[in-house]
């Protein structure tokens, strides 16, 4: 899952929102580096990633990509599933997407010491409404271009937007089958971690 899904699954309290994002920027053992609630949300993030990576529905979705794309299929699915979540937000959340994203941006702006790259990204994320913009499929082209800039072999993502467009309906079905299971898992894990 990508940023929007982790934020949606991680809980609404500010420490939960922060930890849901920190999971992509904080590596290694936690052991008191962050407040307890933030560390619980980072652990949840990691469990969500492990659940997602090992789930048969995710394997089925990755298998839809041609063999040459399999190395990047997981990244592309994370991105595409955030698109599906933003597009279908009202089916999975009571709060409107724009209210949710405004709260996330407010929490990020209020935090004095964001970790690593997140400190650099957060102002741009808010100014460009990255999370809300995922609902538009065309935005994925810009996101993929940004991913390519960070890869040592950017050509691995060449043509990936066209691939996602070709697979749009079956991958959307995969999302609709998988995400409710992931929500149930995350809710259970969140209760255990709190």
């Amino acid at each position: 899952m990508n940023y929007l899904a982790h934020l949606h699954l991680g809980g609404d309290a500010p420490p939960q929102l922060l930890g849901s994002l920190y999971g992509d920027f904080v590596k290694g053992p936690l052991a008191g580096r962050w407040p307890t609630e933030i560390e619980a949300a980072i652990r949840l993030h990691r469990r969500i990633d492990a659940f997602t990576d090992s789930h048969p529905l995710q394997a089925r979705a990755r298998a839809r990509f041609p063999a040459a794309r399999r190395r990047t299929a997981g990244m592309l699915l994370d991105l595409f599933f955030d698109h599906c979540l933003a597009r279908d937000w009202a089916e999975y959340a009571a709060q409107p997407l724009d209210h949710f994203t405004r709260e996330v941006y407010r929490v990020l702006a209020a935090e004095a010491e964001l970790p690593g790259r997140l400190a650099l990204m957060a102002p741009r994320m808010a100014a460009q409404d990255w999370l809300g913009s995922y609902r538009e499929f065309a935005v994925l082209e810009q996101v993929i271009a940004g991913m390519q800039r960070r890869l040592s072999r950017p050509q691995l993502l060449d043509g990936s937007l066209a691939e996602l467009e070709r697979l749009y309906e079956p991958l959307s079905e995969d999302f609709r089958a998988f995400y409710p299971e992931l929500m149930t898992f995350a809710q259970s894990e969140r209760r255990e971690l709190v």
Side-chain angles (χ1 to χ4, degrees):
M1 292 291 109
N2 208 19
Y3 302 135
L4 182 61
H6 275 293
L7 287 160
H8 178 246
L9 296 167
D12 295 328
Q16 292 171 320
L17 293 171
L18 290 170
S20 294
L21 279 179
Y22 286 17
D24 280 328
F25 301 92
V26 173
K27 305 301 177 197
L30 299 174
R33 286 177 54 195
W34 308 99
T36 304
E37 292 173 296
I38 290 178
E39 287 196 0
I42 294 169
R43 285 186 182 90
L44 177 60
H45 179 116
R46 292 173 179 180
R47 290 180 185 185
I48 287 169
D49 282 348
F51 178 84
T52 299
D53 291 345
S54 65
H55 199 285
L57 288 172
Q58 280 291 104
R60 181 179 77 183
R62 285 190 303 270
R64 294 188 189 282
F65 289 88
R69 182 82 60 208
R70 297 277 163 78
R71 179 178 282 179
T72 58
M75 288 188 303
L76 293 170
L77 274 179
D78 285 352
L79 176 61
F80 185 78
F81 280 9
D82 258 16
H83 162 66
C84 292
L85 177 58
R87 178 194 68 202
D88 301 335
W89 182 262
E91 294 178 33
Y92 303 104
Q95 182 183 35
L97 179 59
D98 61 331
H99 293 187
F100 179 78
T101 59
R102 272 198 305 271
E103 177 62 10
V104 169
Y105 301 144
R106 186 195 66 73
V107 167
L108 286 171
E111 183 59 32
E113 293 189 37
L114 296 170
R117 273 188 24 245
L118 182 56
L120 301 173
M121 285 174 43
R124 285 195 327 257
M125 182 185 283
Q128 298 169 8
D129 186 22
W130 288 6
L131 301 171
S133 70
Y134 281 136
R135 78 183 120 213
E136 301 300 327
F137 182 75
V139 167
L140 301 188
E141 183 173 19
Q142 298 164 25
V143 179
I144 290 168
M147 291 163 64
Q148 284 182 297
R149 286 191 293 275
R150 292 188 303 276
L151 289 177
S152 60
R153 296 176 56 205
Q155 68 276 13
L156 289 173
L157 291 177
D158 286 350
S160 56
L161 185 69
E163 197 71 53
L164 289 173
E165 190 169 20
R166 185 181 68 76
L167 295 170
Y168 194 93
E169 286 309 318
L171 291 178
S172 291
E173 291 171 20
D174 293 336
F175 172 79
R176 285 188 285 271
F178 175 67
Y179 199 69
E181 288 189 33
L182 182 59
M183 287 176 66
T184 300
F185 170 81
Q187 185 177 36
S188 171
E189 294 294 308
R190 194 168 59 240
R191 278 194 301 264
E192 180 187 311
L193 287 165
V194 171

